[in-house]
Amino acid sequence: MSPEAYKYLLDTDVFVRICELKERQKVFDLIIKMAGAGRVSTIRQVFGELKKWPIALGMIKPHRSIFEVKPEAQYTTEVQAIIDELGNKARWLWEPTATGNPDPADPWLIGIAKTRGYTVVTNEGQRKEKRIPAACRFPTIDCRCITGPHFLVEVGIVKDIKPEWIDTDAFFKKGG
């Protein structure tokens, strides 16, 4: 599938880390444009988690209506079935996070990505066994999951990526 065919569902940490880039306004402007075209979305729970990061929230909140997956697409029996499965196989997705959010975004991101054909974009460790990418790899889930830097390169916001930036922290520390 070509990158133009992908739709992306962004996790909280992607918005937060983009704020660390020198070119954050330019990056946000491009992502907002993609959201308007229906290629980038997020969910209500991410907006809730972003309350701890007012800069990131301030960048996207004015555009919430184009970013947020509509309730009728989020709260479906298909999504609920995936969340129920994750509740049995990946209970760690509900572990308390720094946000203290009682309704964490992680299971919803995976459920919506699986049922609606999105690619999950998160900066959580791709090789860690108790993170979003691990749950996306469950054979019965099997949804695409990439990092923020991978997303930025894939959609053409960042033109090239150096090998040392493969580590998400190293990429964002470079400052864009």
Side-chain angles (χ1 to χ4, degrees):
M1 185 180 297
S2 73
E4 295 82 31
Y6 290 123
K7 297 184 308 182
Y8 303 93
L9 196 59
L10 277 57
D11 192 10
T12 306
D13 62 356
V14 175
F15 294 111
V16 171
R17 297 304 296 268
I18 288 171
C19 286
E20 298 173 19
L21 299 174
K22 285 184 247 175
E23 299 282 332
R24 77 173 173 231
Q25 186 63 56
K26 178 182 172 189
V27 172
F28 272 108
D29 289 346
L30 292 167
I31 290 172
I32 291 163
K33 184 176 178 181
M34 292 177 67
R39 292 198 56 219
V40 172
S41 298
T42 196
I43 58 174
R44 180 185 61 78
Q45 290 80 359
V46 165
F47 280 95
E49 290 179 359
L50 282 172
K51 289 177 183 174
K52 292 269 190 174
W53 292 278
I55 294 172
L57 181 59
M59 299 292 266
I60 67 165
K61 190 173 181 179
H63 311 281
R64 187 172 185 155
S65 65
I66 61 170
F67 268 105
E68 190 172 331
V69 171
K70 302 293 181 234
E72 58 271 16
Q74 181 170 346
Y75 301 105
T76 67
T77 55
E78 294 86 6
V79 172
Q80 188 59 54
I82 299 298
I83 288 174
D84 290 345
E85 179 180 349
L86 292 169
N88 292 323
K89 294 181 177 178
R91 190 75 203 137
W92 33 265
L93 290 172
W94 282 266
E95 289 177 0
T97 63
T99 64
N101 187 351
D103 188 17
D106 296 5
W108 289 103
L109 289 167
I110 297 165
I112 293 165
K114 171 66 176 171
T115 60
R116 301 282 179 221
Y118 284 96
T119 295
V120 176
V121 182
T122 184
N123 290 321
E124 291 185 0
Q126 295 289 317
R127 294 191 176 153
K128 298 196 177 181
E129 61 184 62
K130 291 189 175 184
R131 295 284 188 248
I132 289 173
C136 288
R137 288 191 299 271
F138 289 160
T140 55
I141 303 292
D142 190 31
C143 64
R144 187 167 182 260
C145 183
I146 61 175
T147 65
H150 184 161
F151 161 74
L152 294 172
V153 170
E154 190 167 280
V155 299
I157 293 173
V158 171
K159 299 302 177 202
D160 60 1
I161 192 161
K162 296 179 181 177
E164 62 268 25
W165 295 344
I166 296 302
D167 173 70
T168 302
D169 288 336
F171 174 85
F172 286 104
K173 284 180 183 168
K174 79 170 183 71

